[in-house]
Amino acid sequence: MKQTRNAAAALIIAIALSTTACSYLQFLPFLKSPVDTRAKGASSTTKGPAFVSSVRASHAVDPSADWPAYNNDPAALRYSTLAQINVANVASLVPACKLVTGEQTPMQSGPIVIGGVIYLTSAINTYAIDAATCKLRWRHSYAYSPKPDYDLKTNRGVAYLDTPDGPRLFRGANDGRVYALDAITGSEVWNVLAGDVKKGETFPAAPVAWHGLVYIGNAGGDNFAVTGRMMAFDARTGARVWSFDLVPTSGPASLTWPAETNSVPRGGGTTWTSYTLDTLSGAIYIPTGNAAPDFLQEVREGDDLYTYSVIGLDARNGALLHNYQLLKRDFHDWDVAAAPLLVTTRAHRQIIAEAGKDGHLYGVDRTSGQILYSTPVTTLLNGTTPLTEAGTRFCPGVQGGVEWNGPAYSPSTNMLYVGSVDWCSTVRLDPPEKLKNKLGIPWTGSAKLKDPFGVMDSLSKRRGWLTAVDADDGSVKWRYASATPLVAGVTATAGGLVFAADLSGNVFAFDQRDGSIRFRYNTGQPIGGGVVSYAVSGKQYIAVASGLDAPLTWQTKSSAASVVVFALP
């Protein structure tokens, strides 16, 4: 019945959008904010020394200068057309400014840059920073409440949209909420309930916004009885416009799951990074995570759609357009996590490029759905070996492969550049009858309550890779071996460079053609956030979100997170 109501509303929206040039949904009076029976947490905005309250004549994105989304452009190519910093002069790059947030946090945010302002997030704070001086414009704090029982305290960023009411930022929170901020003042515009925090549904992903809608899905798919949903919200009011179940409850896809029971419900299929838009066709592409319980595949026999997939939905109404399942019947927690890239290759192929936690880069034909290649980008071991009660070691591990930052693509070389984690796990299984069924905590099948995702190898055995892959045939062109994992953003530029960073705190610039290192700088902090390129007043900058303080998961410690900005002297 729920799906029927959603479909009916979506049909009305689709008809309305097809009969008017208006990009916004103010003409749909039936859209109302959802009934919220739980009060939101407290919020406040603090002005910084660079606060500017004046409104510019235009708040439109400048694609030649800005970095307007988590992965820059709607197709998620992570490519900057700026070339002032290039192979010939990048060695002269120096720190131009730095902002220390004062917040010790697992910084994984991908900064966006609009009109000379950097927008950055943590789990509780949103920062607006002058992009040329690093001076704070404002900070918005949201004390989300109640907190989930299993809180990773991460957030990956904001989406931006210039609406009829002014420029807006959109983001999720870990109390199951989504909210909007005024991009100029930092004041809260709306805050709506979107998930059940008691079950462990959180919203750490960086949304995308387009044509008056904001798109985001819930995380928490490792927790008991949590299933993924992709949702669209009205950018002006926060009203929910449509919702799509990433673990289906009816139809042919539902038959790929066994019948659920109270003790073994269907679970997983959530999203936690960001999304990709095809603005020509109006499709939004969603990467989906594991089926649950993560390691006990025997209690969820079948292909478990739409997990381990890239799903294409009609962005206007949430109707299913495509389903590209990259893994079948996995039992390693190998999410398809990072947002896919929509690439037109040198040979004029239309492909989806996706890299997952299973340690492969996939090239998928967007028309036929055929997997054209599957290129390993990290160590592979025991991928088909059954997990046992005695323990099984496999590579990549639960925190291996490609995590929240996906590849970058350079049209000048036709190469995809992929940062990855080379780190293995050992998991000991509990038999199915010992599954711990408790809301809000991981429900994986691991025998160790203290280690629900198994045990990672020692730090001395982990490393990382940056791999350059031909986008047409999947062949490896060059590879850089890092002493520590590469989970930070990877960015290619028209200057012939690839920027990346590692957990040792190093920021690198590589020559796109051969992988030679042309620039290296150590920030003194492990880096897990975005690495982006932008311009202010004709000058190109590189900004890095530094300071991944994650002693339990990534076994890294850091001082207060910071934004470090580089430029030529």
Side-chain angles (χ1 to χ4, degrees), residues 340-356:
L341 288 70
L342 305 182
V343 178
T344 300
T345 70
R346 183 173 289 169
H348 306 293
R349 285 178 170 171
Q350 300 283 324
I351 70 166
I352 290 175
E354 177 64 279

Side-chain angles (χ1 to χ4, degrees), residues 104-415:
Q104 201 168 0
T105 183
M107 175 56 68
Q108 297 177 17
S109 179
I112 71 169
V113 188
I114 311 286
V117 182
I118 298 172
Y119 298 102
L120 183 80
T121 65
S122 68
I124 62 173
N125 290 312
T126 306
Y127 300 89
I129 304 161
D130 187 286
T133 67
C134 294
K135 292 182 179 179
L136 182 69
R137 291 202 171 193
W138 53 258
R139 183 186 72 248
H140 176 271
S141 300
Y142 175 60
Y144 58 87
S145 178
K147 295 181 179 180
D149 291 335
Y150 190 77
D151 188 3
L152 295 176
K153 300 179 180 179
T154 58
N155 187 270
R156 295 186 176 87
V158 296
Y160 174 89
L161 194 66
D162 189 14
T163 77
D165 302 319
R168 298 288 183 258
L169 303 172
F170 309 95
R171 59 162 292 171
N174 284 355
D175 59 351
R177 288 182 169 272
V178 177
Y179 58 93
L181 303 176
D182 185 305
I184 299 172
T185 66
S187 60
E188 190 175 287
V189 178
W190 51 257
N191 186 315
V192 298
L193 191 64
D196 187 347
V197 69
K198 292 181 180 179
K199 292 174 65 175
E201 294 181 348
T202 59
F203 289 84
V208 295
W210 183 64
H211 278 209
L213 296 177
V214 181
Y215 305 95
I216 192 170
N218 68 292
D222 300 310
N223 298 332
F224 177 68
V226 170
T227 56
R229 301 180 307 285
M230 190 66 196
M231 291 165 273
F233 299 86
D234 179 71
R236 300 181 76 178
T237 67
R240 191 180 308 182
V241 176
W242 56 256
S243 180
F244 181 87
D245 292 331
L246 296 170
V247 173
T249 57
S250 61
S254 178
L255 301 179
T256 65
W257 290 79
E260 62 181 338
T261 66
N262 289 335
S263 58
V264 185
R266 295 176 182 180
T270 55
T271 73
W272 48 277
T273 62
S274 195
Y275 315 99
T276 306
L277 278 164
D278 183 341
T279 56
L280 294 179
S281 70
I284 183 168
Y285 291 87
I286 300 103
T288 64
N290 61 278
D294 306 43
F295 306 129
L296 277 175
Q297 201 271 333
E298 64 183 278
V299 303
R300 48 174 177 82
E301 289 286 347
D303 288 347
D304 301 337
L305 295 177
Y306 298 102
T307 61
Y308 310 108
S309 300
V310 174
I311 301 296
L313 303 178
D314 190 316
R316 299 165 298 178
N317 55 40
L320 179 67
L321 300 175
H322 310 285
N323 170 33
Y324 310 102
Q325 190 172 48
L326 302 183
L327 290 174
K328 293 184 183 293
R329 308 190 181 202
D330 175 64
F331 49 89
H332 306 88
D333 189 27
W334 282 343
D335 301 339
V336 178
L341 288 70
L342 305 182
V343 178
T344 300
T345 70
R346 183 173 289 169
H348 306 293
R349 285 178 170 171
Q350 300 283 324
I351 70 166
I352 290 175
E354 177 64 279
K357 286 175 59 179
D358 71 326
H360 290 82
L361 171 67
Y362 294 89
V364 182
D365 185 284
R366 286 165 59 184
T367 301
S368 68
Q370 178 186 1
I371 296 178
L372 303 173
Y373 53 81
S374 174
T375 303
V377 293
T378 188
T379 297
L380 307 179
L381 179 69
N382 291 337
T384 59
T385 303
L387 305 185
T388 68
E389 295 180 32
T392 305
R393 181 175 179 266
F394 57 88
C395 311
V398 171
Q399 290 171 225
V402 180
E403 294 280 340
W404 54 92
N405 281 303
Y409 173 73
S410 173
S412 63
T413 62
N414 193 44
M415 292 185 201

Side-chain angles (χ1 to χ4, degrees), residues 523-556:
T523 65
Q525 298 178 307
I527 303 172
V531 179
V532 304
S533 175
Y534 61 90
V536 179
S537 300
K539 186 177 181 68
Q540 184 181 359
Y541 297 88
I542 303 296
V544 178
S546 182
L548 179 67
D549 186 63
L552 296 180
T553 52
W554 290 98
Q555 299 181 35
T556 56

Side-chain angles (χ1 to χ4, degrees), residues 365-523:
D365 185 284
R366 286 165 59 184
T367 301
S368 68
Q370 178 186 1
I371 296 178
L372 303 173
Y373 53 81
S374 174
T375 303
V377 293
T378 188
T379 297
L380 307 179
L381 179 69
N382 291 337
T384 59
T385 303
L387 305 185
T388 68
E389 295 180 32
T392 305
R393 181 175 179 266
F394 57 88
C395 311
V398 171
Q399 290 171 225
V402 180
E403 294 280 340
W404 54 92
N405 281 303
Y409 173 73
S410 173
S412 63
T413 62
N414 193 44
M415 292 185 201
L416 294 153
Y417 302 94
V418 192
S420 64
V421 181
D422 196 330
W423 202 12
C424 306
S425 293
T426 299
V427 169
R428 290 178 49 230
L429 280 188
D430 251 355
E433 59 271 17
K434 289 188 177 182
L435 273 172
K436 287 82 176 175
N437 302 342
K438 183 180 178 181
L439 289 177
I441 65 170
W443 185 64
T444 64
S446 169
K448 301 184 70 174
L449 282 176
K450 291 184 178 180
D451 298 305
F453 298 98
V455 177
M456 302 301 296
D457 280 359
S458 65
L459 296 184
S460 64
K461 294 182 179 179
R462 76 174 182 181
R463 56 179 175 169
W465 300 95
L466 182 67
T467 307
V469 177
D470 185 281
D472 273 305
D473 62 20
S475 60
V476 174
K477 297 303 180 183
W478 56 262
R479 180 176 281 143
Y480 166 74
S482 170
T484 53
L486 275 73
V487 294
V490 177
T491 292
T493 74
L497 297 166
V498 179
F499 289 92
D502 65 21
L503 289 185
S504 296
N506 295 302
V507 180
F508 299 96
F510 298 88
D511 189 314
Q512 290 179 10
R513 298 164 298 182
D514 58 17
S516 59
I517 297 175
R518 298 304 183 101
F519 169 79
R520 185 198 307 250
Y521 180 90
N522 192 282
T523 65

